[in-house]
Amino acid sequence: MKVAIFSKLTLKENEIKNLFESHNKLKNVDLHIYDPIKRGDLQKPEMLNYDIIGIIDGCFLQNTAVGHREILNIIKKGIKVYGAGSMGALRASELDDFGMVGVGKVYNLYKSGALCDDDEVAVTFDKILNHNQNLSQKEQSEFEIVQVTFSMVSFREFMANALSDNIVTREEHDILIKNAKELYYPLRTYETVFEKSQISKETMDNLMNYIKSQKDMKMVDGFEMLNHIIKDISNFKK
């Protein structure tokens, strides 16, 4: 069985590989991991060789976003397509009636109508050389995709948790959310939002430490989608 996953941003390539390799029954699964999906990727002939395609991350600014028709054409070929986390959740909420499988909290927020705007999951990212000394020389020469700005949907959850845990006041919470949402998504960095909101340095430091301790909603959803795929593969192989 051949599986393609589009991510490398919300979930790193080694995280995806390690999860699949931890399941003994999936040793023979042919897994391929791609960069965030963009328009035209699903039209490549190699995509027709896959049994399952999972979409987590996608391009919004760097390239044209993956089209609905591209996904529908793949589904019509009998390939099962899953979506979660970011672009995958957004497209799944729009195409689940046509066979795309949506997984996770972000998908459900879109499906319920609690979220409507594409920019809620949009982030910008960059590619840098991997300088991790624990990696082989070949791996160190490869590029790593790093997130530059934060997603609004994740920021909302961080701020809700921070309010609940008394890290910020209700007034600070509301100002931070308002100012973050007003920014064009390629400008959404913590520094920019904190400066715009004029919160105290103490609150800013506490909030940054708190955010670092939190699990990103999109990452949690990405792992949930992978586990959903793994479960479906295991059941299929029985």
Side-chain angles (χ1 to χ4, degrees):
M1 181 167 286
K2 294 193 68 174
V3 178
I5 304 295
F6 287 88
S7 188
K8 293 189 181 181
L9 177 62
T10 297
L11 298 185
K12 301 303 182 184
E13 186 168 0
N14 67 311
E15 292 177 316
I16 299 170
K17 286 181 177 178
N18 289 342
L19 180 60
F20 272 78
E21 289 172 358
S22 70
H23 291 263
N24 293 328
K25 293 181 180 180
L26 302 182
K27 292 295 184 183
N28 296 322
V29 169
D30 190 4
L31 174 67
H32 294 252
I33 303 165
Y34 293 89
D35 288 358
I37 197 166
K38 61 184 181 298
R39 182 72 57 89
D41 282 345
L42 294 182
Q43 298 178 34
K44 295 175 181 177
E46 67 192 76
M47 289 295 124
L48 298 179
N49 296 325
Y50 289 103
D51 302 289
I52 290 173
I53 295 175
I55 301 172
I56 299 174
D57 297 308
C59 296
F60 287 89
L61 180 68
Q62 290 90 338
N63 298 94
T64 307
V66 61
H68 302 78
R69 191 174 297 277
E70 294 177 79
I71 297 173
L72 290 174
N73 287 340
I74 284 289
I75 292 173
K76 288 177 182 176
K77 299 291 185 181
I79 299 167
K80 198 162 186 179
V81 182
Y82 297 74
S86 189
M87 178 65 76
L90 176 61
R91 288 291 181 262
S93 72
E94 299 161 335
L95 299 174
D96 55 358
D97 288 341
F98 302 94
M100 189 171 179
V101 181
V103 179
K105 192 171 182 178
V106 179
Y107 158 74
N108 284 305
L109 286 170
Y110 273 114
K111 189 63 182 175
S112 69
L115 291 181
C116 299
D117 300 335
D118 291 7
D119 80 300
E120 288 285 334
V121 292
V123 299
T124 57
F125 55 86
D126 202 358
K127 283 189 173 185
I128 62 171
L129 275 173
N130 201 327
H131 295 298
N132 188 335
Q133 298 301 313
N134 295 321
L135 300 178
S136 68
Q137 189 171 2
K138 178 181 180 297
E139 289 172 322
Q140 287 183 40
S141 67
E142 295 176 351
F143 284 94
E144 178 185 4
I145 299 176
V146 295
Q147 189 168 313
V148 177
T149 59
F150 63 77
S151 69
M152 194 66 213
V153 68
S154 297
F155 190 67
R156 288 184 190 279
E157 183 170 66
F158 291 156
M159 292 305 101
N161 292 343
L163 176 62
S164 178
D165 290 338
N166 297 315
I167 304 299
V168 294
T169 65
R170 167 57 68 179
E171 182 181 7
E172 288 168 336
H173 168 277
D174 293 349
I175 290 172
L176 286 161
I177 293 294
K178 176 179 178 292
N179 287 335
K181 184 63 177 178
E182 286 177 351
L183 285 170
Y184 182 38
Y185 75 86
L187 301 178
R188 282 184 191 140
T189 64
Y190 294 119
E191 293 78 8
T192 302
V193 174
F194 294 161
E195 182 178 348
K196 182 178 171 68
S197 303
Q198 297 184 326
I199 61 174
S200 69
K201 186 178 187 307
E202 181 183 4
T203 300
M204 181 179 68
D205 291 343
N206 289 339
L207 196 50
M208 275 309 306
N209 289 331
Y210 184 81
I211 288 171
K212 289 175 182 176
S213 73
Q214 297 287 294
K215 287 187 177 180
D216 189 287
M217 182 195 303
K218 299 201 310 185
M219 181 182 70
V220 172
D221 284 2
F223 278 120
E224 185 178 343
M225 185 196 80
L226 296 183
N227 282 311
H228 195 116
I229 289 173
I230 288 169
K231 181 179 178 182
D232 285 354
I233 292 172
S234 299
N235 290 338
F236 177 80
K237 293 180 77 173
K238 290 177 183 178

